[in-house]
Amino acid sequence: MTTSTQAPPRSAGAGLWRQILKHRWCYVFMVPTLVLSALFTFYPIFMSWYFSFLEWSGYTNDRAWVGLDNYARLIQDAAFWGAFGRSFLFVLVAVPIKLAISLLLAILLNNESMKLSPVFRTMFFLPVVTTAAIVGIIMTFVLDPFNGPVNQALTSSGLVEQAIDFRGDKDAALWTVMGVEIWKNMGITMVYWLAALQTVPTTYYEAARIDGAGRWHLLRHITVPILAPFAAIITLLTANQTLHVFAIVQAMTQGGPARASEVMEVYIYREAFVGDGGLPELGYASAAGVFFGLAVMVVALLQIWVAKKAHSMRAAMGAQR
Amino acid sequence: MKRQLSTTPLTRRSALGLGALGLGTLAACNVSTETGSGTGAENPEFGFEGIPDSGADLPTEDVTIGWMDSGDLKAMFLEPFFASYMDKHANITVDYQPSSWDTINEAIPVAVRNNSAPDVFARPASMPTQSAISEGWISPLDDVVPDFEEWKAGFPEGAFIPGVHVFDGLTYTWPMNSSKRFEYLQLTNTALLADAGYDPAARLGLDDLREVCRAVTENGDGDAYGLMIDGTRIAQVALMFAQMLGHSVINTGGFRGLDLRTGEYDLTAPEVIEAFELLLAIDADGSIFPGYISLDDATARSRFPQGVAGILLDGPWAIPAYQRDFPDFEFEVGQPPSADGGASAPYPFWEQGANDLYLFAGARHPEVIGDMFHYLGSAEGQANIIVAAQGNLSSVTPSANELAAQSTELDARAVAAVEVAGELMRLAPDPRLRNADNAEVILRHQPPSTTFADLGQAVFSGQGELRASLQQLEDESNRALDEAISAAQEAGANVSREDWVFANWDPSADFTAEQYQGA
C-alpha cells in the first residue's frame, strides 16, 4: 500500500507573501526611494492632474472646479499650439542631429589607440554639467549682434554684410536656441553611445580585421548591428531631455521675439507664474502641462512599439536564414 | 471720496516743491549737471536723526523686523532711516532685504504660507491686493498706525483710493511716494550728440529724432548708435510718442491705449500709426542699437552708459544708478521729443501712489511698523524721503515737496526729471474715484494674452503687420474690459462701461474733484 505524501496546494497570495518575506531587506532598502518618489514625483503629477480641472490662480484658496473647461480652452488657444509645435519641432530636429554627431564622436573617442580621448570626452561632456542658465547668458554675449565674437567673425570675414540678431530675429531665434542646446547636451548622448560601445567585444573587431575587413565594414557589420538595440532607448532618453529646455530658452530669449521661440515649458511658465499683467492661471497651465505630457507619452509608447516591432521582424528574418 | 490736489503753476525753484501734484510751466530742460539745485534760503535741517515719538507702545525686549521691497530708489532713503531708527531704539533690529521683483514674486507667496514672511513686504506683481486681503496675507493699518485718522488726514484728499489703498473701509497700504514720475525721460549721451553736431540739451521734435539718430549712428561708425531701446518697451515708447503727438490715452499696465473721454481703447488712431512708423523708419535706417528686440529694459539701461547709444527713453530710477555706477558718464535729462520740438502734449496718468508696502498679517510686532509708517507718512518724513533720494522721488503731499525743495542736497538731474513730470503729466479721471465698485473691475481685469511687449516685438521683428496688430490688440483690450465689467457685475458690483467715460475731461489740465460731479 502506498500513501501519497503530496503537500496541500498553497494559495498564490501566500506564495507572494513568502517571497516578500524572503526578500524583505530588498524592500526595506527601497523604502527611502519610494517615499522620495511619492513626495517629489508622484504627488506633483497627481496634483497637476487635479489642478488642471480647476480655475485657480495658484495664489488664493479661491478654487473652482471647471471640469474640462481648461482643456476646451486649450484646444482653441493658438499660442498653446504654437508652443506645442515648436517643442516637437525642437525634438524632431535636435534629436537626430544629437544622435548622429554624438555617435560619430563616441566611435572616434572609443578608439583606444587615441591617447587624448579622455581629454576630448571631458571637453565634450563639460557643457552638460554647466548650468543651463549660465550657458544661456554666456551665449547671449557670444551671439550679440553689437560686439559678439560670432558676429564679428561673420562680418569681418565678409560672410555677412550686417550682423545677425540671432536672438531677436523671428526666423533665427528658435534655431539659435536649438543650436546652443544641441552643443550643450550632445555630451550626454555621447556618453550613452560610449556605454553601448563598451558592450561590443574587441574580439569581434580583431576577427574581422584578420578576415580583411576595413573600417567601414567594421562599422556597418559589427558596430551598428550591435548598437541597434540600444538606439531606441538612447533616442528616448535624448528626446526626453530635449523636451526640457526651459532654462536655456528662458535665459536666451524668454520665448521671444513675440513668442517665436516659445516652447511648451516657457508657455506653461508664462501662464502659471507670469500672468501677463493679469492673474496667473495655474489651473490652465496645469492643463497645458498634462496635455503635453500625455502627447509625449503617446510618442514614447509609439517609439517603443516601433522598436519592438523592428526587433521581432529582425529576429524572424534571422530565423528564416 | 473726492480728489483735491494742488494745481499751482511751478516756478523753477519750486518745481520739486509741487512737482508731484502740480503743473509745470518750464519751456525746456537745459539743466546744469552740478549737484544741488535748491537755494537753501531757509536752510532747514534734513535727515532721519530726530525721529519723533509717535506714541506707539513699542516692545522693550530685543526684536527683529523683516522688510522686503525692490530696493533701488527706496533703498536710498530706507537705509539711512533704518540706521537712525535702530540708533534710537537699540533693542530693535531691521533686517532690510532689497530684492529683485523676481525674488519678491517667488519668495513672498512661499514665505506667507510658511508664516515666515517679512513684517513688511512689497506685493508680488501677480497678487492683487484684494486677493492678498481675502487670503489673510496682510493686515489693515487702521489699528496699527498711531493716531491713524489724524495721520491719514495729513495726506491730500483723494490720496487714498478705493481698490488701491482702501478696501471695505479699511486702509491696507498708503502712497509712500507719488506715482507722478515720467517713465520716458530723454536721457542723452552728451558727448555722442555733441560729436554728431547736435545740442545735447535741446528739445527735439519727432522729425528731428530720426535725423539725430542717423547722425549719431553714422558718426559712431559701428561703435555707437542713435537710439537705445528694448523689445519689451518699444511699443510703450511708440504709444508715448503718440501721446506727444496729442493722442490722450492712458499708458499704464493693462490699460494702455484707453481713452477716458470715450471709455474705449484707441490704438489705431493716426498718431499711434505715425509714432510706430517713425520708430520703424529709425530701425530701417539702422539707427537703433543692434539686437534691441531681444533686450529687456534692465539690459538696455545698463548698456546705455557704456557710450553705445545717443538717446535712451527711461524713468528717473536710471539717474542715481548711473551717477553711482558710472560717475564719469555725462548725460542730460530732458523731455522726450514733441511733435515739433515745441510745447508738449499732455501725458495723462493716474495718481495712485508708488512703492506701496504691506503689513504681513503674521507680523509679530505690528506696533513697530505702525511707528515707522507714522513717521514716514508725515510731511517731515516725506520731505526727508525726498532729500535722502536726492530728489529722485516726490510725495503726494504738497507741503513735503515744498519743504524738500529747500534742500541743497538735491541732485540737479533728479530735479530736472521732476520738472519734466510737472511739465507733461496731468491727472486723468479715475473710474474708482467716481464709483468705488470699479475696484472690482480692475481686480477681475485680465488683459489680452498678447501683451504690449508682444505687440512691439512682433511688429519690429516683422511677424505682424502694424495696423492689423494694433486693431487686434484694440479689439481684445475692449473685450477684456467688457468681460471684467461683466464679471464684476456678476459678483454684485454696481458698475458699467459708462463709469469709464468722462466726456468732460480736458487732458491738458488735471481732472479735479469737482469735475467728478459733472462727469
Side-chain angles (χ1 to χ4, degrees):
Chain A
M1 189 176 160
T2 57
T3 54
S4 172
T5 56
Q6 223 176 348
R10 286 195 310 263
S11 71
L16 178 66
W17 182 240
R18 186 161 295 158
Q19 287 290 316
I20 290 171
L21 270 179
K22 184 181 173 186
H23 301 289
R24 58 188 173 277
W25 285 111
C26 297
Y27 291 100
V28 168
F29 287 121
M30 281 166 68
V31 166
T33 304
L34 286 170
V35 169
L36 290 172
S37 297
L39 281 174
F40 298 109
T41 304
F42 301 119
Y43 175 75
I45 287 172
F46 292 133
M47 288 313 286
S48 71
W49 292 349
Y50 169 62
F51 292 157
S52 73
F53 298 112
L54 304 176
E55 187 182 329
W56 184 41
S57 71
Y59 279 93
T60 67
N61 290 322
D62 187 17
R63 308 175 185 189
W65 179 269
V66 292
L68 293 170
D69 283 8
N70 285 330
Y71 291 94
R73 205 178 118 199
L74 206 60
I75 286 164
Q76 295 169 5
D77 186 348
F80 166 75
W81 288 114
F84 191 91
R86 278 185 288 274
S87 277
F88 273 100
L89 179 68
F90 213 113
V91 170
L92 287 171
V93 175
V95 170
I97 292 173
K98 268 196 272 193
L99 287 170
I101 297 175
S102 59
L103 174 59
L104 203 65
L105 285 172
I107 290 165
L108 286 171
L109 299 177
N110 196 44
N111 188 344
E112 285 174 9
S113 62
M114 200 173 164
K115 298 293 175 213
L116 285 175
S117 67
V119 176
F120 284 111
R121 286 182 199 182
T122 307
M123 275 174 56
F124 284 114
F125 191 71
L126 210 54
V128 176
V129 292
T130 309
T131 311
I134 300 295
V135 168
I137 290 164
I138 297 293
M139 282 297 168
T140 63
F141 293 114
V142 170
L143 300 169
D144 193 309
F146 178 62
N147 55 4
V150 170
N151 267 305
Q152 284 185 338
L154 288 171
T155 49
S156 60
S157 66
L159 282 171
V160 296
E161 238 177 88
Q162 283 227 314
I164 301 166
D165 186 3
F166 288 102
R167 299 180 305 120
D169 185 295
K170 65 179 170 60
D171 299 319
L174 184 66
W175 302 107
T176 301
V177 177
M178 211 182 281
V180 172
E181 198 277 336
I182 288 168
W183 166 79
K184 185 194 178 303
N185 290 319
M186 205 167 52
I188 192 74
T189 312
M190 180 192 75
V191 168
Y192 298 150
W193 285 126
L194 279 168
L197 283 166
Q198 305 298 312
T199 65
V200 185
T202 51
T203 50
Y204 287 17
Y205 290 122
E206 287 162 8
R209 283 196 195 98
I210 290 165
D211 289 342
R215 280 187 181 183
W216 169 246
H217 287 95
L218 292 177
L219 180 69
R220 189 182 178 299
H221 295 290
I222 296 174
T223 308
V224 171
I226 291 176
L227 286 186
F230 295 97
I233 192 66
I234 291 174
T235 304
L236 194 63
L237 288 168
T238 305
N240 178 54
Q241 175 247 317
T242 307
L243 285 167
H244 299 120
V245 290
F246 173 79
I248 204 106
V249 176
Q250 189 67 12
M252 286 185 70
T253 65
Q254 290 92 47
R259 302 191 171 200
S261 61
E262 189 173 79
V263 292
M264 270 310 300
E265 285 183 312
V266 177
Y267 171 86
I268 290 166
Y269 170 78
R270 183 164 154 146
E271 294 295 332
F273 301 113
V274 179
D276 286 345
L279 269 178
E281 297 184 277
L282 195 71
Y284 183 65
S286 297
V290 169
F291 190 100
F292 186 67
L294 288 172
V296 171
M297 202 183 296
V298 167
V299 171
L301 291 171
L302 199 68
Q303 195 178 7
I304 291 165
W305 180 77
V306 168
K308 277 186 174 173
K309 199 84 179 158
H311 186 71
S312 59
M313 277 173 66
R314 272 201 306 272
M317 284 165 68
Q320 286 170 8
R321 284 193 194 118
Chain B
M1 193 178 278
K2 296 176 185 175
R3 177 178 286 273
Q4 186 60 61
L5 298 173
S6 168
T7 56
T8 312
L10 285 174
T11 62
R12 180 169 173 81
R13 186 187 153 253
S14 64
L16 183 69
L18 296 176
L21 301 165
L23 294 169
T25 54
L26 299 170
C29 283
N30 183 1
V31 294
S32 152
T33 54
E34 289 171 25
T35 301
S37 63
T39 64
E42 294 82 355
N43 202 22
E45 288 289 316
F46 289 98
F48 294 110
E49 287 76 18
I51 302 170
D53 291 327
S54 68
D57 185 15
L58 297 175
T60 52
E61 72 278 19
D62 286 354
V63 299
T64 298
I65 299 299
W67 187 300
M68 181 188 270
D69 62 27
S70 61
D72 58 63
L73 291 177
K74 289 176 287 298
M76 289 177 79
F77 67 84
L78 284 173
E79 283 171 353
F81 168 71
F82 291 143
S84 296
Y85 194 86
M86 289 189 282
D87 281 347
K88 184 183 176 186
H89 305 284
N91 62 316
I92 298 175
T93 304
V94 182
D95 176 19
Y96 179 44
Q97 302 167 55
S99 310
S100 70
W101 277 109
D102 284 345
T103 303
I104 291 166
N105 293 340
E106 291 163 13
I108 293 296
V110 175
V112 169
R113 287 194 189 104
N114 296 340
N115 202 32
S116 61
D119 301 76
V120 176
F121 55 75
R123 181 172 48 83
S126 298
M127 185 66 169
T129 312
Q130 199 142 336
S131 299
I133 294 165
S134 62
E135 293 301 309
W137 284 28
I138 56 177
S139 289
L141 305 176
D142 304 59
D143 297 327
V144 172
V145 176
D147 304 320
F148 178 75
E149 289 304 330
E150 189 187 330
W151 176 78
K152 197 173 172 181
F155 292 87
E157 192 179 349
F160 287 82
I161 301 172
V164 176
H165 310 100
V166 181
F167 298 84
D168 296 328
L170 295 172
T171 305
Y172 284 85
T173 185
W174 57 285
M176 184 177 279
N177 308 116
S178 168
S179 57
K180 190 170 185 175
R181 297 186 300 179
F182 191 65
E183 292 181 44
Y184 307 98
L185 298 164
Q186 183 174 304
L187 306 178
T188 309
N189 183 314
T190 308
L192 287 179
L193 257 77
D195 289 350
Y198 288 90
D199 177 2
R203 179 84 190 273
L204 298 174
L206 281 166
D207 288 342
D208 306 325
L209 179 67
R210 186 176 177 184
E211 286 308 311
V212 170
C213 288
R214 191 184 286 154
V216 171
T217 304
E218 281 174 13
N219 208 49
D221 195 28
D223 292 327
Y225 292 79
L227 189 63
M228 170 63 81
I229 209 160
D230 62 270
T232 51
R233 283 177 98 238
I234 195 162
Q236 295 173 34
V237 169
L239 189 60
M240 181 272 293
F241 282 166
Q243 290 171 296
M244 294 299 109
L245 289 166
H247 187 52
S248 294
V249 291
I250 292 291
N251 194 354
T252 305
F255 298 95
R256 294 187 203 282
L258 180 63
D259 184 344
L260 288 159
R261 288 166 300 188
T262 61
E264 296 286 326
Y265 285 84
D266 186 0
L267 289 169
T268 50
E271 295 91 340
V272 181
I273 304 292
E274 186 181 338
F276 269 94
E277 284 178 341
L278 170 69
L279 281 169
L280 284 164
I282 293 171
D283 186 30
D285 292 342
S287 301
I288 304 183
F289 183 79
Y292 70 93
I293 286 176
S294 52
L295 293 184
D296 57 29
D297 58 339
T299 310
R301 190 178 306 130
S302 66
R303 295 189 84 160
F304 179 66
Q306 295 165 19
V308 297
I311 292 169
L312 170 73
L313 298 151
D314 205 351
W317 40 83
I319 298 169
Y322 288 169
Q323 294 179 159
R324 183 186 62 239
D325 301 333
F326 301 90
D328 299 328
F329 176 49
E330 286 298 322
F331 66 102
E332 300 285 336
V333 176
Q335 297 191 39
S338 63
D340 57 4
S344 287
Y347 181 93
F349 82 108
W350 284 328
E351 176 60 277
Q352 46 193 4
N355 299 328
D356 299 349
L357 292 166
Y358 298 82
L359 173 64
F360 176 42
R364 279 164 300 175
H365 296 285
E367 63 279 11
V368 177
I369 308 305
D371 185 48
M372 290 178 174
F373 282 2
H374 185 271
Y375 175 72
L376 290 171
S378 67
E380 185 191 327
Q382 287 279 290
N384 277 320
I385 285 173
I386 297 165
V387 174
Q390 298 176 344
N392 286 291
L393 293 166
S394 55
S395 173
V396 298
T397 307
S399 59
N401 293 317
E402 288 168 21
L403 184 60
Q406 298 170 28
S407 169
T408 57
E409 301 300 311
L410 304 182
D411 178 73
R413 290 189 180 112
V415 173
V418 172
E419 287 172 351
V420 171
E423 176 73 11
L424 296 177
M425 297 175 80
R426 298 289 177 272
L427 279 173
D430 189 332
R432 290 164 296 191
L433 290 173
R434 169 190 265 172
N435 172 7
D437 277 9
N438 280 300
E440 298 293 328
V441 175
I442 290 179
L443 175 69
R444 287 165 177 78
H445 184 247
Q446 195 73 5
S449 59
T450 301
T451 63
F452 232 70
D454 289 338
L455 172 86
Q457 288 188 334
V459 167
F460 285 86
S461 66
Q463 287 178 77
E465 195 276 324
L466 174 60
R467 283 173 177 77
S469 301
L470 288 167
Q471 184 66 62
Q472 185 184 340
L473 187 55
E474 179 182 300
D475 294 343
E476 287 179 8
S477 299
N478 276 314
R479 199 160 42 244
L481 184 53
D482 281 337
E483 286 169 2
I485 289 168
S486 297
Q489 287 169 339
E490 283 171 24
N494 181 22
V495 291
S496 75
R497 190 79 184 235
E498 284 304 304
D499 288 344
W500 296 72
V501 181
F502 295 85
N504 64 339
W505 176 39
D506 171 13
S508 66
D510 287 340
F511 197 81
T512 63
E514 290 74 30
Q515 286 176 285
Y516 281 101
Q517 310 309 314

